[in-house]
Structure formats: structure tokens, C-alpha cells
Amino acid sequence: LIPSLILLSCNSKTDDTQAIKSLLEKESSSWRLGDSKTHAACWQIQPYSKILISTVDGKMFDIPAEDIIKPIANPSGGTSINSNYKMSIHDDNAWVSHDEVSIAKDGKKTFSHEIRLLEKINGNWKLVGQSIHAYK
């Protein structure tokens, strides 16, 4: 009986890991495609939500969390590739770090290290905050 409980626990963590990866990839692609409805559905804005972005030239932006779920005015198009996922998952909350390569329609690549904060709400993982740091 005990080994099956351990196996169930491991499977649950694996399922959460895959669900989180899928959510983050959906969030990235919907942003680039300008799919505002899908993008907003990836988020659950909380009173403590925070979005910080630093650029390669040293600027920092503190984006109001509510802005991330507004209609996407000028989608950039292109694609992105997320890699090097590292996760800390605890019941209904998680933090994830990963690297992202964003590839513009013209082929130009930009690179970032990202930290994402998530909560499981009504059984579904949602983003509640993020910190993105672009680099050369």
C-alpha cells in the first residue's frame, strides 16, 4: 500500500510539471500571435501579482499586472523556445525558472532568463507573476 502512495505522489508531481510547461509555452505563443483571449486565460491576477522586465540596455519596467491580460495591441509574431526548466512545486503554488529564445518574424533572436510564479486555481495552473531578464 505504501509504495503505491509514493508512486501516486510522484505521478502527481510529473503531471504538474507537464501542465506547467504546457501553460508557459501556451502563454508565450499566444502573446506573440496576439491571441488575447488565450493569453489572458493563462493568468490569474492577484492583489500581489508583479511583473518586472529588465532589458539588455539596463532599463527596468514594472508593468501593472492588469495590463498583461488586456488585448494585445501589436503582436510581435514569431516563435519562442523555452528550455532549462527548473521548478519548485508545492501543492497549489510553484515557481519556475527557464530560459527563453524569442525568434522574431525576421529571424532576429532575443534571449531572456525568466522566473514565473504560479498558483493552482480550481485545479488549473495559472500565472500570477513573472520577472524577465533579457541578455545578449
Side-chain angles (χ1 to χ4, degrees):
L1 180 63
I2 292 175
S4 65
L5 290 175
I6 293 170
L7 182 59
L8 179 62
S9 176
C10 291
N11 285 342
S12 177
K13 193 71 87 173
T14 301
D15 292 345
D16 284 334
T17 298
Q18 190 53 50
I20 289 170
K21 283 183 181 180
S22 294
L23 174 73
L24 296 179
E25 290 170 12
K26 179 170 50 172
E27 190 265 351
S28 294
S29 67
S30 62
W31 177 259
R32 282 166 186 74
L33 296 172
D35 182 349
S36 299
K37 183 178 179 181
T38 299
H39 188 262
C42 295
W43 284 86
Q44 179 66 50
I45 303 305
Q46 302 286 21
Y48 44 83
S49 290
K50 193 77 167 165
I51 300 170
L52 298 172
I53 300 172
S54 61
T55 64
V56 292
D57 59 356
K59 294 180 180 154
M60 197 278 293
F61 297 94
D62 185 350
I63 309 295
E66 298 77 26
D67 287 359
I68 204 75
I69 60 171
K70 290 182 178 175
I72 302 166
N74 297 308
S76 61
T79 61
S80 64
I81 300 168
N82 295 346
S83 64
N84 198 26
Y85 284 104
K86 295 178 184 168
M87 298 188 189
S88 178
I89 303 170
H90 301 278
D91 299 321
D92 65 351
N93 63 80
W95 70 265
V96 177
S97 66
H98 68 87
D99 298 323
E100 182 172 295
V101 178
S102 297
I103 306 161
K105 289 186 282 189
D106 65 4
K108 181 182 175 192
K109 294 180 180 179
T110 56
F111 304 89
S112 60
H113 299 298
E114 306 195 6
I115 297 173
R116 311 289 206 110
L117 307 172
L118 301 100
E119 293 179 358
K120 191 180 259 188
I121 299 169
N122 297 323
N124 296 305
W125 287 103
K126 300 286 185 173
L127 283 154
V128 296
Q130 67 183 7
S131 184
I132 300 174
H133 306 278
Y135 67 94
K136 290 184 181 184

